[in-house]
Amino acid sequence: MMEICYFPSLFCNESDQQALLAFKSAITYDRYHALATTWMPNVSFCYWKGIICSRRRQRVFPLNLSSMGLQGTISPLLANLSFLTILDVSNNSFHGHIPYQLGNLFRLKMLRLSKNQLQGSIPPTLGSCRSLRNLTLSFNNLTGNIPPQLCVLPMLVYMSLGANNLIGTIPDCLGNISSLQFLYLAYNSLHGSVPSELGMLSQINILNLGSNHLMGRIPSSLSNCTNIEALDISYNQLVGRIPWELCSKKTTQLNIL
């Protein structure tokens, strides 16, 4: 039986409901009527599509609306979902900027905004999401530099920023994210050298820096990445010899040229 929210304070958190309704109001097109038919203010948001609530507090902790045919902007009021651990609106048609207020979601573990039409820069405030393990912003129209503030995410395992219009250099401090296993920065306009500090990524499995404007030599320190399975630094402007240490590694895939 559905729980009715005529009196939100009794049945669900009013702050969460207002944040979700603000998100809905920023949607301009709902191809599959996913929100139009289930996100009703007279029904508890715990029964709305894409939402699961914690049993005790009745707070939203995952919001998953991936591949729903949604178009619009991402409301900054989502930052009021203070118990949110997963935010996935990937593979839709969201445009506009990534709200910097999302950096207030200190419980957030997964942020997937890939395959949209998002613009502007990556908010440095995302570095405040210290519980973040998956940051997927690839396949958008993001511009600007990779914020060095992301380097302080102590639990990050998966970072995908590829297929955007990012410029600048690869921050050396990315090598400090010891938990990182997947780093995808390909298909941007990054320049400068491949940081030797990336050789400090002892847990890295996949490292893809291909199709940028990187220059200089391939750092031999990458051979310190003992768990690497695939390395792609192709389609750049690298010079010199391939370090023999890399050639001797039994990687699953090595794409350098």
Side-chain angles (χ1 to χ4, degrees), residues 213-256:
H213 304 306
L214 300 174
M215 301 177 291
R217 297 180 179 274
I218 303 169
S220 59
S221 62
L222 293 181
S223 63
N224 296 328
C225 301
T226 54
N227 289 310
I228 198 164
E229 298 176 357
L231 170 64
D232 189 340
I233 48 179
S234 61
Y235 295 100
N236 281 290
Q237 300 167 24
L238 301 172
V239 298
R241 295 182 177 182
I242 300 172
W244 69 270
E245 298 95 337
L246 287 177
C247 297
S248 63
K249 288 187 68 62
K250 296 180 180 180
T251 55
T252 302
Q253 178 181 348
L254 181 61
N255 195 357
I256 293 178

Side-chain angles (χ1 to χ4, degrees), residues 10 33 41 48 93 123 149 155 161 222-223:
L10 295 178
H33 307 289
W48 293 358
S93 296
Q149 288 84 351
M155 300 181 183
L161 309 179
L222 293 181
S223 63

Side-chain angles (χ1 to χ4, degrees), residues 87-155:
L87 175 55
D88 188 351
V89 294
S90 59
N91 196 28
N92 284 291
S93 296
F94 285 99
H95 60 273
H97 291 210
I98 299 173
Y100 72 87
Q101 293 90 340
L102 296 184
N104 295 328
L105 297 171
F106 68 94
R107 290 184 173 90
L108 197 64
K109 295 180 180 180
M110 177 183 293
L111 178 60
R112 298 188 68 224
L113 309 179
S114 59
K115 297 183 180 178
N116 282 288
Q117 299 164 17
L118 296 170
Q119 303 162 328
S121 59
I122 299 172
T125 54
L126 294 182
S128 298
C129 300
R130 303 301 294 273
S131 299
L132 203 60
R133 298 177 183 179
N134 184 317
L135 177 61
T136 305
L137 308 178
S138 49
F139 295 94
N140 280 290
N141 299 311
L142 299 174
T143 56
N145 300 327
I146 298 174
Q149 288 84 351
L150 300 182
C151 299
V152 300
L153 295 171
M155 300 181 183

Side-chain angles (χ1 to χ4, degrees), residues 19-20 23 35 39 48-52 60-66 78 81 84-90 108 110 112:
L20 293 168
F23 174 80
L35 307 190
W39 284 41
W48 293 358
K49 190 171 186 66
I51 291 174
I52 298 176
V60 179
F61 65 95
L63 175 57
N64 186 350
L65 295 172
S66 176
L78 284 182
L81 300 174
L84 200 64
T85 59
I86 296 173
L87 175 55
D88 188 351
V89 294
S90 59
L108 197 64
M110 177 183 293
R112 298 188 68 224

